């Protein structure tokens, strides 16, 4: 009997060791697959990524502005007042004059905003906003030496089920991107066509650029 128990214990130990080894191999494969996806996304977005900027704000209580939301329940107002607000969003340079298209979420910030894109920092002022499309247009006060902007003429057609790359920048200007499925395309009451992504992402990705697998502009991401 002691020999049988010893044999069973050895078999269990061997099985556990095998499971750990298989788990380690699976984790390595997942890491390799994830790294391959990241490299693929980076390659697709190489030429257009410099046109994506970070729009951040200065520290201090004057950095935020109170923007009323009509029709919102009182408990939602309380939650919004107590939850930390993001310190910035992403935006897309759309021409050689330094105009930046982004989410209307920037209206909660006091201007000017700081624009950063890795190699430069500039200040930008609000030019106009569109409440229907929830977009805002900014303009840099001073152009950087080598300004790269997105070519809106290269926009592709959106199709449900296609994969899109979301290219944005974090608050300190670092590049950030992710892969998302376009779940559906809907028409709003105002006649606008919008696509619904599989993931809403982080607040600073608001105003990021959406790119299709061919490297063409698919749209602006609104958080």
């Amino acid at each position: 009997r002691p020999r049988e128990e010893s044999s069973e214990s050895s078999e269990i130990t061997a099985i556990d060791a095998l499971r750990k080894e298989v788990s380690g191999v699976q984790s390595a494969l997942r890491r390799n697959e994830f790294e391959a996806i990241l490299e693929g996304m980076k390659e697709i977005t190489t030429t257009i990524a410099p046109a994506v900027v970070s729009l951040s704000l200065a520290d201090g209580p004057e950095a935020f502005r109170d923007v009323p939301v009509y029709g919102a329940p009182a408990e939602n107002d309380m939650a919004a007042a107590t939850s930390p607000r993001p310190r910035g969003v992403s935006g897309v340079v759309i021409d050689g004059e330094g105009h930046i298209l982004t989410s209307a979420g920037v209206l909660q910030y006091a201007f000017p905003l700081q624009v950063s894109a890795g190699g430069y920092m500039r200040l930008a002022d609000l030019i106009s906003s569109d409440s229907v499309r929830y977009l805002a247009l900014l303009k840099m006060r001073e152009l950087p030496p080598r300004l790269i902007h997105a070519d809106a003429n290269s926009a592709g057609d959106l199709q449900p089920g296609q994969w899109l790359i979301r290219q944005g920048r974090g608050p300190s200007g670092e590049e950030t991107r992710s892969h998302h499925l376009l779940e559906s395309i809907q028409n709003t009451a105002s006649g606008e066509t919008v696509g619904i992504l599989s993931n809403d992402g982080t607040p600073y990705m608001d105003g990021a650029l959406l790119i299709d697998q061919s490297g063409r502009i698919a749209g602006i991401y609104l958080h």
Side-chain angles (χ1 to χ4, degrees), residues 115-133:
V115 181
S116 56
Y120 63 84
M121 285 188 178
R122 292 293 187 274
L123 292 178
D125 297 298
L126 178 67
I127 300 299
S128 63
S129 63
D130 187 331
S131 60
V132 175
R133 297 174 176 85

Side-chain angles (χ1 to χ4, degrees), residues 8-215:
E8 289 177 0
S9 177
S10 298
E11 290 178 1
I12 292 174
T13 302
I15 291 173
D16 287 340
L18 180 60
R19 284 175 178 167
K20 290 180 180 179
E21 184 176 350
V22 170
S23 177
V25 172
Q26 289 176 336
S27 297
L29 289 174
R30 283 194 293 268
R31 284 195 301 271
N32 291 337
E33 183 180 357
F34 182 65
E35 290 173 359
I37 291 173
L38 289 178
E39 285 300 318
M41 288 193 295
K42 185 176 181 179
E43 184 177 349
I44 292 172
T45 61
T46 295
T47 58
I48 203 169
V52 180
V53 298
S54 169
L55 301 169
S56 58
L57 60 165
D59 293 330
E62 73 283 353
F64 291 106
R65 303 185 331 188
D66 292 326
V67 179
V69 179
Y70 299 103
E75 58 270 20
N76 288 350
D77 292 341
M78 181 64 69
T82 56
S83 61
R85 289 192 272 189
R87 304 299 297 177
V89 300
S90 298
V92 183
V93 181
I94 59 173
D95 60 24
E97 298 179 1
H99 287 96
I100 301 170
L101 186 64
T102 185
S103 162
V106 295
L107 297 180
Q108 67 178 307
Y109 305 141
F111 287 86
L113 293 182
Q114 179 175 277
V115 181
S116 56
Y120 63 84
M121 285 188 178
R122 292 293 187 274
L123 292 178
D125 297 298
L126 178 67
I127 300 299
S128 63
S129 63
D130 187 331
S131 60
V132 175
R133 297 174 176 85
Y134 201 69
L135 295 171
L137 184 67
L138 284 62
K139 189 177 188 302
M140 296 185 201
R141 292 182 176 181
E142 181 183 355
L143 298 182
R146 293 177 296 277
L147 181 65
I148 297 178
H149 62 85
D151 181 10
N153 294 323
S154 67
D157 295 328
L158 294 178
Q159 298 294 333
Q162 74 181 114
W163 287 94
L164 298 176
I165 300 170
R166 184 175 54 191
Q167 176 78 35
R169 286 188 185 271
S172 60
E174 73 278 9
E175 286 188 25
T176 177
R177 60 182 66 88
S178 52
H179 214 194
H180 298 279
L181 181 69
L182 182 61
E183 292 187 341
S184 63
I185 296 179
Q186 302 176 2
N187 292 320
T188 66
S190 59
E192 296 296 319
T193 301
V194 297
I196 308 300
L197 291 186
S198 59
N199 186 302
D200 60 0
T202 53
Y204 62 78
M205 291 291 269
D206 196 14
L209 185 63
L210 292 171
I211 306 167
D212 65 18
Q213 297 295 313
S214 299

